[in-house]
Amino acid sequence: MRKFLIILAWRLKGLNVYNLFLKLKEKETYSEQEWKNHQNKLFLDFVEFCYNKSQYYKELFDSINLKLDDIKSIDDIKLIPILTKDIVRNNLDKLVVKENFNKKNIVHTTGSTGSPLTYYGSSYRSENIVAGLWRYYARCGWVPGDQVASIWGFKNHNNSGLKSKLRDYFSGITHFNAWKANDSDFQNWFDSIKEKNVRIIMCYGSSGSRFANWLLTNNKTYKGLKGVFSTSEKLYDYQKKIMEDAFLCPVFDMYGCGEVTHLACSCKKGNMHLNPDMSIVEEGELNENQQTPLIVTGFSNLTIPFLRYQNGDSGFLSDKKCDCGINTPLMELKVSRLSDVFKFSDGKKYPSLYFVLRLYKKGFDGVELFQFHQDKIDHIFLRIVKNKRFSQETHDNILEIINEIKEHINYKANVELIYQNYIEQSSSSKHYYAKSDIK
């Protein structure tokens, strides 16, 4: 019954998630060569789609005299110029595939690499996001109908309302607000997980590990979990260990970005597997910071095609082989979204993504780079680097966000806005989009 309700709920949204999930799951048994052949076909079809449907790519190819016939396989991918965030911002109208455009499908990236972006999604992208998650979950024995708990960030979230309860019931997902994650909240989460017989937890690494630490400190045990999936932040080894000890199940690390979702996910053996049926991941040229930027291509967004997109993360592809049974290539993240926990005088703690996601709305494309920096327990800098799209509206939105933050943290800190020409990186050349000096 539960499985039927979940499938029906997604069908009512116009998304055939279950059928796509079955197709994705079947590919888990592909051989290495089958994966290569399948990805190669997807790539060639996607390049043809981009050229024929997107004005930007047609003009780009024509301007460098690049013909579709020149691209015979994925080995020719480097003939195509790289797409950057600035190019997306400046050519959004040309990038859009008009026949798939729906202004309701607007997407705002979290800016978790320090640079927010606004673009448009597609229904096929939405199907792939959910079905891709289900495929990950299935790797630890989850089946549609099993309950999922999501520790995520929500503005003005209230789990007690009728609308929230109906949403949780029909989706099979219990939502916990990561922005309100303290001891009293953890007790409520634990009670709800037991009551609803939750099988999977999806969380930020910072929030999930803090909840896990509370469970260990208070001798709380729940043995019903099949897996915990961490995303959106760098998952540190100590966080993974704490969650494994507390949740008594494997902990998986997911990697993706809003523009190109489901790039990779770790297996039970801890290796990060790529998803060749959803995306392509390349290594870029070593930059001045001695980082290797990632260049990604996603097959699912048919409204704004991201072809050879430099997303701001860095890492490298691995030649290692994994004997877990999944025959996809491996990668390692060298640098991705680094984060801290912000602490205040009333004892409350907030994950850094709470602050970052305040810029998760329309009107922030004028921000080239940003950083929240808590230098004192009662003071936070918000450093902003402008780009040419910056306007008075952008400035007003930033002031509005500052007021929201101050209210949310019960006015325990002042937030000081500073406009700068650049933001210094850490000694390791990593960009902290939000960092705290309070330990």
Side-chain angles (χ1 to χ4, degrees):
M1 180 63 177
R2 171 67 61 182
K3 173 181 174 180
F4 171 77
L5 287 176
I6 292 173
I7 295 172
L8 177 62
W10 286 110
R11 288 293 289 166
L12 291 175
K13 290 184 176 182
L15 304 178
N16 195 354
V17 172
Y18 183 66
N19 283 351
L20 181 56
F21 160 66
L22 293 179
K23 292 177 182 177
L24 293 177
K25 192 168 181 293
E26 283 178 3
K27 298 173 190 173
E28 294 279 79
T29 59
Y30 273 14
S31 68
E32 186 176 343
Q33 189 59 51
E34 285 175 319
W35 274 121
K36 287 180 179 179
N37 294 341
H38 184 57
Q39 186 182 53
N40 192 67
K41 183 180 185 308
L42 290 173
F43 166 70
L44 293 175
D45 290 346
F46 189 65
V47 170
E48 184 177 354
F49 172 84
C50 290
Y51 181 80
N52 290 329
K53 300 294 185 179
S54 169
Q55 180 184 350
Y56 169 79
Y57 288 110
K58 186 178 189 313
E59 291 181 357
L60 174 67
F61 280 38
D62 291 348
S63 69
I64 59 175
N65 198 30
L66 179 62
K67 310 296 184 185
L68 289 179
D69 288 343
D70 296 333
I71 303 173
K72 297 178 174 60
S73 75
I74 201 169
D75 294 334
D76 300 317
I77 193 171
K78 294 188 186 300
L79 295 175
I80 303 168
I82 290 172
L83 182 71
T84 66
K85 291 189 178 185
D86 278 344
I87 292 174
V88 175
R89 292 186 183 111
N90 296 329
N91 296 273
L92 194 61
D93 290 341
K94 289 185 177 181
L95 278 162
V96 167
V97 176
K98 306 300 183 185
E99 64 194 64
N100 296 330
F101 176 71
N102 185 336
K103 65 180 180 181
K104 293 181 180 179
N105 289 332
I106 192 167
V107 181
H108 310 288
T109 68
T110 62
S112 54
T113 54
S115 184
L117 181 71
T118 297
Y119 58 97
Y120 295 93
S122 66
S123 58
Y124 185 59
R125 172 183 178 271
S126 299
E127 283 183 342
N128 272 267
I129 289 174
V130 180
L133 279 176
W134 287 11
R135 176 165 68 175
Y136 289 161
Y137 296 164
R139 291 177 181 175
C140 63
W142 176 91
V143 294
D146 283 350
Q147 285 287 313
V148 175
S150 174
I151 303 174
W152 212 246
F154 299 93
K155 181 182 176 183
N156 301 325
H157 181 72
N158 179 12
N159 264 337
S160 62
L162 177 61
K163 183 177 180 180
S164 294
K165 289 181 177 179
L166 288 173
R167 177 206 58 207
D168 288 357
Y169 180 79
F170 284 103
S171 68
I173 303 173
T174 299
H175 294 82
F176 301 134
N177 193 350
W179 306 158
K180 296 181 179 179
N182 292 284
D183 288 1
S184 59
D185 304 299
F186 293 152
Q187 181 64 59
N188 292 332
W189 294 3
F190 179 67
D191 292 341
S192 182
I193 284 171
K194 288 196 303 180
E195 177 188 348
K196 297 183 178 180
N197 199 24
V198 166
R199 297 303 190 194
I200 295 289
I201 291 178
M202 185 173 71
C203 62
Y204 307 128
S206 57
S207 299
S209 60
R210 287 184 54 227
F211 179 36
N213 188 61
W214 179 86
L215 293 173
L216 294 173
T217 301
N218 292 277
N219 296 314
K220 304 285 188 180
T221 302
Y222 173 68
K223 298 182 178 180
L225 289 173
K226 295 178 178 179
V228 173
F229 291 79
S230 173
T231 189
S232 294
E233 295 178 336
K234 179 178 175 62
L235 178 64
Y236 294 96
D237 289 340
Y238 80 89
Q239 294 174 328
K240 184 172 185 285
K241 179 65 165 58
I242 289 172
M243 288 194 281
E244 287 173 340
D245 290 345
F247 297 131
L248 305 173
C249 67
V251 175
F252 300 84
D253 189 8
M254 298 190 296
Y255 170 60
C257 60
E259 301 93 318
V260 182
T261 59
H262 296 321
L263 290 168
C265 181
S266 64
C267 63
K268 285 187 177 181
K269 299 205 169 185
N271 293 314
M272 188 71 80
H273 288 261
L274 298 175
N275 295 307
D277 54 348
M278 291 187 165
S279 58
I280 300 170
V281 179
E282 305 169 67
E283 294 178 357
E285 298 294 329
L286 192 69
N287 61 27
E288 65 274 11
N289 295 318
Q290 300 303 300
Q291 298 172 355
T292 304
L294 296 177
I295 301 169
V296 298
T297 296
F299 300 135
S300 66
N301 191 345
L302 303 183
T303 301
I304 299 283
F306 285 90
L307 176 57
R308 300 206 72 216
Y309 174 66
Q310 191 165 305
N311 69 351
D313 289 335
S314 62
F316 58 91
L317 304 180
S318 173
D319 293 329
K320 292 194 308 182
K321 303 294 182 182
C322 183
D323 60 2
C324 71
I326 302 171
N327 297 309
T328 60
L330 305 178
M331 70 169 294
E332 293 189 28
L333 286 174
K334 193 69 175 178
V335 179
S336 61
R337 298 86 190 254
L338 298 165
S339 59
D340 280 344
V341 173
F342 284 51
K343 305 172 184 178
F344 299 98
S345 60
D346 59 357
K348 296 291 180 65
K349 301 175 183 178
Y350 303 87
S352 59
L353 271 182
Y354 164 73
F355 300 91
V356 173
L357 292 179
R358 298 313 90 206
L359 273 68
Y360 192 129
K361 62 190 294 186
K362 186 176 181 181
F364 286 95
D365 278 356
V367 176
E368 180 66 24
L369 200 65
F370 70 89
Q371 182 187 74
F372 289 92
H373 176 202
Q374 184 185 23
D375 63 322
K376 300 175 184 177
I377 198 165
D378 60 353
H379 185 267
I380 299 170
F381 286 110
L382 171 54
R383 298 184 173 94
I384 298 286
V385 176
K386 304 176 184 178
N387 63 32
K388 63 182 182 180
R389 297 172 67 93
F390 192 92
S391 65
Q392 183 62 43
E393 179 188 7
T394 311
H395 176 74
D396 292 342
N397 284 339
I398 292 171
L399 295 181
E400 181 182 338
I401 291 305
I402 288 175
N403 289 331
E404 282 185 20
I405 290 172
K406 290 165 68 175
E407 181 179 1
H408 186 76
I409 63 176
N410 299 315
Y411 301 97
K412 295 300 180 182
N414 183 44
V415 181
E416 182 179 351
L417 175 63
I418 300 178
Y419 291 112
Q420 300 180 183
N421 292 326
Y422 68 96
I423 297 174
E424 291 184 1
Q425 294 182 318
S426 69
S427 58
S428 59
S429 297
K430 300 174 182 178
H431 178 72
Y432 282 80
Y433 54 85
K435 66 177 184 177
S436 174
D437 298 336
I438 310 303
K439 306 301 180 184

